[in-house]
Amino acid sequence: SQGIGSPMHTAEDGLHAIVPSRLLFGLTCPVALLALAIPYLPSASWFGFVPLPAQVMAGLVVITLAYITASEIIKHRFFTRARRGPRQESFNDHA
């Protein structure tokens, strides 16, 4: 197995290659929550931060979830095909 965020996966890596590690997930969640909370902290106005309207925040959450879902589907399809190996060409493919 490779390190956090390693882009190098092989078909032998299996399903665990497309599932984020617990460490990566455990570090990402608090950072994301902090990023969302910063505009609501008492010192936020000192830095010029203002809370986003609820509709904008909801839109960002929906877009982020859609991106994560799409990338996981694509990774699953890619690694499933990689495990099967290269496609065998037939005589009719060149006709």
Side-chain angles (χ1 to χ4, degrees):
S1 179
Q2 289 122 14
I4 295 175
S6 175
M8 300 301 293
H9 295 294
T10 64
E12 291 82 28
D13 286 342
L15 184 60
H16 74 275
I18 62 172
V19 178
S21 71
R22 289 182 186 178
L23 178 61
L24 178 62
F25 185 75
L27 292 173
T28 301
C29 286
V31 170
L33 290 174
L34 178 64
L36 292 173
I38 286 175
Y40 301 96
L41 297 175
S43 59
S45 61
W46 190 75
F47 292 104
F49 293 124
V50 292
L52 293 172
Q55 290 177 326
V56 174
M57 188 68 78
L60 289 173
V61 169
V62 168
I63 290 169
T64 302
L65 292 175
Y67 168 77
I68 291 169
T69 302
S71 65
E72 290 301 315
I73 289 170
I74 297 297
K75 282 195 298 183
H76 178 71
R77 288 182 182 173
F78 174 80
F79 285 110
T80 298
R81 288 184 180 149
R83 277 193 297 272
R84 284 191 222 142
R87 188 174 80 106
Q88 299 295 324
E89 292 187 30
S90 69
F91 180 75
N92 293 334
D93 287 345
H94 298 288

